[in-house]
């Protein structure tokens, strides 16, 4: 077990390059189960969740080979079991994405319920209904068991644009007989990334990046080389950090199109950015002041399915708001457990009112003071690191495996920007 020891108050400046998107990398690993040919994935992050998924896949006969720090070759030609290790599956949410590929490959599946961040109820009904609409038969006792004779394309309306449900249905529909049309599909960049990977493997998917995805099933898929897109959660985290770090931070090799809404939220919190073709810079040397809505009303930031503000970027924006003059309300519409980490910020000196599980009011700017804390989940953990970096004194953050599940070499990247952060034995 490791912890971060962080001495707050250093000026942060310089440039940083984000790793590949965790939430594109995880479904991409499972996509490899649908072909016997090797698939090479570039800009892969060696984060905790990726390593756990590789372990799960190794357990059912899939070969995984790192060619270098960011290139992973997957070979599922000898996959031999429809029953992945339940203990490993219970460690990651993304394990639910094995439902479709194992059914397609073996005609049957036995899968433990998924784990991952404890941030809300996280229903799987949309996955379930969609897979049954495509021909699967599922039942749940202690584990999910299922069978599939033949997947047949259909029109399916998702009752909510769930990211992983859309991905599970893509994983099923690419090799189904005939055409599938997904209505009210998730349109996050990582869903588009999975579609692009599939098309590289010979699938026929259109409507990529929209909420109506059309999949013409093919009988087999080939190997390919695919590059994972930059992690926009990491980009947003570095921009929020740069804004309060007292210097100028440039985030490079980003997809600026992914950042349209996050940049609007940053502007609302008084954080101004400049952008080029594939970089965004934030100037943290100026005093931050939140903007108000017309008529002098208190502004609000609320999360929603893409292209609205991503729920995964709420926690870092909240920390940025504690350092900006003014008042803002944050409304986390998706998960009912994601705001509770703010009690740590309150104890550090932030002026926050937790109205209910979904809404908080932040009034800034507040001086934060160091604290010993524990990371509750991956995004809240990153927010606590940020808070510790601007706090007076030395903070300790335990349970950092939660942060390292999603952020690659985060201590090294922060050190390069001037942060005083040490990773030590807890
Ligand atoms: N929801 C709504 N309204 C909607 C859509 C969803 O309220 O229109 C609710 C759902 O009921 C659910 C929650 O929002 O409680 C999340 O929904 P979704 O099913 O889309 O989440 P997921 O597929 O389980 C993925 C990411 C999460 C990310 C969410 C939302 C992966 C492996 N996980 O989860 O990532 O927060 O989408 O974008 O892709 C993270 O990386 O920290 C993380 C938790």
């Amino acid at each position: 077990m490791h912890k971060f020891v962080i001495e707050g108050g250093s000026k942060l400046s310089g440039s940083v390059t984000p790793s590949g998107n965790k939430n594109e990398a995880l479904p991409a690993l499972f996509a490899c189960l649908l072909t016997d040919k090797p698939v090479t994935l570039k800009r892969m992050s060696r984060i905790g969740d990726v390593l756990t998924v590789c372990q799960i896949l190794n357990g059912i006969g899939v070969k995984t080979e790192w060619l270098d720090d960011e290139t992973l070759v997957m070979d599922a030609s000898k996959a031999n079991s429809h029953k992945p290790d339940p203990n490993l599956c219970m460690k990651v949410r993304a394990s639910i994405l094995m439902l479709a590929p194992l059914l397609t490959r073996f005609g049957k599946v036995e899968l433990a319920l998924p784990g991952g961040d404890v941030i809300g109820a996280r229903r799987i009904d949309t996955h379930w209904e969609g897979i049954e609409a495509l021909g699967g038969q599922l039942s749940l006792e202690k584990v999910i068991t299922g069978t599939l004779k033949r997947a047949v394309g259909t029109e399916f309306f998702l009752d909510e644009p769930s990211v992983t449900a859309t991905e599970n249905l893509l994983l099923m529909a690419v090799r189904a007989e005939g055409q599938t049309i997904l209505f009210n599909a998730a349109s996050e960049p990582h869903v588009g990334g999975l579609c692009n990977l599939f098309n590289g493997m010979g699938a026929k998917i259109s409507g990529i990046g929209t909420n109506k995805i059309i999949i013409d099933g093919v009988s087999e898929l080939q190997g390919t080389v695919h590059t994972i897109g930059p992690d926009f959660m990491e980009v947003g985290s570095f921009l929020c950090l740069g804004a309060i770090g007292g210097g100028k931070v440039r985030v490079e090799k980003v997809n600026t199109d992914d950042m349209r809404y996050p940049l609007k939220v940053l502007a609302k919190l008084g954080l101004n950015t400049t952008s080029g073709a594939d970089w965004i810079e934030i100037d943290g040397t100026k005093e931050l002041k939140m903007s108000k809505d017309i008529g002098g009303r208190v502004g609000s930031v609320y999360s929603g399915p893409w292209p609205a503000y991503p729920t995964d970027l709420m926690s870092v924006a909240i920390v940025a708001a504690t350092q900006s003059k003014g008042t803002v309300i944050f409304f986390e519409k998706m998960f009912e457990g994601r705001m509770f980490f703010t009690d740590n910020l309150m104890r550090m000196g932030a002026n926050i009112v937790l109205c209910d599980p979904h809404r908080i009011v932040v009034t800034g700017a507040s001086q934060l003071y160091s604290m010993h804390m524990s990371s509750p989940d991956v995004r809240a953990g990153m927010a606590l690191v940020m808070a510790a970096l601007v706090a007076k004194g030395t903070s300790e953050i335990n349970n950092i495996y939660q942060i390292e599940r999603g952020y690659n070499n985060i201590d090294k990247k922060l050190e390069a920007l001037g942060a005083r952060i040490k990773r030590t034995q807890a």
Side-chain angles (χ1 to χ4, degrees):
M1 293 277 270
H2 286 91
K3 65 181 176 187
F4 285 145
V5 179
I6 298 172
E7 210 181 315
S10 302
K11 186 161 142 185
L12 304 174
S13 55
S15 55
V16 58
T17 300
S19 302
N21 183 338
K22 159 176 94 73
N23 291 342
E24 181 180 339
L26 299 174
L29 293 171
F30 295 121
C32 303
L33 279 168
L34 295 174
T35 177
D36 277 341
K37 305 285 179 341
V39 175
T40 303
L41 298 170
K42 296 185 160 185
R43 206 172 183 175
M44 281 295 283
S45 245
R46 279 190 194 237
I47 47 173
D49 274 9
V50 164
L51 299 178
T52 304
V53 167
C54 285
Q55 243 183 309
I56 294 174
L57 290 170
N58 293 152
I60 58 165
V62 178
K63 227 177 108 196
T64 54
E65 188 190 353
W66 289 91
L67 297 187
D68 58 43
D69 261 3
E70 294 204 318
T71 311
L72 179 61
V73 182
M74 308 290 299
D75 176 358
S77 58
K78 298 205 167 60
N80 54 24
S81 169
H82 65 288
K83 291 187 200 178
D85 182 330
N87 293 319
L88 288 173
C89 289
M90 284 189 281
K91 283 172 81 174
V92 282
R93 169 77 183 167
S95 60
I96 190 70
L97 293 173
M98 298 189 89
L99 216 45
L102 291 179
L103 278 171
T104 300
R105 181 134 191 165
F106 298 107
K108 53 190 176 178
V109 66
E110 192 178 310
L111 190 65
L113 282 168
D117 292 325
V118 186
I119 50 181
R122 312 196 77 173
R123 63 202 283 276
I124 54 167
D125 304 54
T126 317
H127 302 243
W128 199 278
E129 278 174 27
I131 285 176
E132 293 210 321
L134 282 157
Q137 287 196 315
L138 300 174
S139 61
L140 173 66
E141 281 179 31
K142 272 190 182 150
V143 296
I144 305 171
T145 53
T147 54
L148 174 74
K149 284 207 177 86
R150 194 164 57 115
V152 180
T154 189
E155 292 193 1
F156 184 73
F157 185 95
L158 284 79
D159 63 354
E160 59 180 21
S162 161
V163 169
T164 47
T166 302
E167 291 165 349
N168 235 336
L169 299 184
L170 283 163
L171 284 155
M172 187 99 166
V174 277
R175 283 190 41 195
E177 199 180 302
Q179 188 176 74
T180 300
I181 305 183
L182 300 178
F183 295 96
N184 196 28
S187 57
E188 272 75 356
H190 29 281
V191 178
L194 177 65
C195 294
N196 290 330
L197 163 63
F198 274 136
N199 280 349
M201 294 166 77
K204 293 186 181 145
I205 304 177
S206 57
I208 298 172
T210 75
N211 64 0
K212 180 180 168 188
I213 306 180
I214 302 162
I215 307 117
D216 287 299
V218 294
S219 54
E220 60 176 356
L221 292 170
Q222 304 301 319
T224 191
V225 178
H226 175 76
T227 303
I228 304 292
D231 190 338
F232 65 87
M233 278 76 79
E234 207 175 309
V235 178
S237 304
F238 282 121
L239 291 176
C240 286
L241 183 64
I244 60 179
K248 284 188 182 173
V249 171
R250 182 182 281 223
V251 192
E252 295 181 331
K253 295 193 186 158
V254 310
N255 185 351
T256 49
D257 283 349
D258 293 349
M259 300 308 293
R260 290 183 205 279
Y261 207 129
L263 292 191
K264 273 190 178 290
V265 167
L266 290 179
K268 190 173 276 203
L269 299 178
L271 321 174
N272 286 314
T273 51
T274 43
S275 310
D278 69 346
W279 58 265
I280 304 175
E281 186 172 281
I282 191 139
D283 184 354
T285 57
K286 302 195 180 111
E287 200 195 13
L288 303 177
K289 195 165 173 234
M290 297 182 211
S291 65
K292 290 186 176 160
D293 284 355
I294 290 173
R297 292 186 183 188
V298 168
S300 57
V301 174
Y302 47 87
S303 61
W306 195 267
Y309 189 66
T311 166
D312 296 337
L313 282 177
M314 282 300 250
S315 58
V316 287
I318 290 168
V319 175
T322 69
Q323 303 306 299
S324 184
K325 207 169 157 192
T327 298
V328 61
I329 178 158
F330 285 93
F331 189 172
E332 164 52 45
K333 292 193 176 179
M334 319 225 354
F335 293 107
E336 56 275 20
R338 266 210 156 148
M339 290 302 198
F340 296 131
F341 85 98
T342 56
D343 59 354
N344 292 289
L345 302 180
M346 292 181 223
R347 285 202 293 270
M348 292 175 88
N351 185 348
I352 296 177
V353 178
L354 178 63
C355 312
D356 61 42
H358 289 276
R359 290 175 303 163
I360 61 164
V361 176
V362 181
T363 301
S366 305
Q367 172 65 58
L368 301 184
Y369 296 91
S370 60
M371 220 177 71
H372 287 198
M373 344 176 223
S374 186
S375 171
D377 70 74
V378 54
R379 307 297 168 198
M382 183 62 200
L384 296 181
V385 168
M386 274 176 63
L389 285 168
V390 293
K392 256 193 185 152
T394 303
S395 298
E396 287 188 9
I397 302 182
N398 279 292
N399 212 20
I400 62 169
Y401 93 92
Q402 281 286 6
I403 303 171
E404 296 183 327
R405 277 182 41 216
Y407 293 89
N408 194 24
N409 284 328
I410 192 66
D411 48 339
K412 301 277 175 311
K413 286 178 183 162
L414 292 171
E415 251 184 330
L417 293 175
R420 279 170 292 178
I421 175 168
K422 289 274 165 288
R423 191 176 190 283
T424 64
Q425 281 293 333

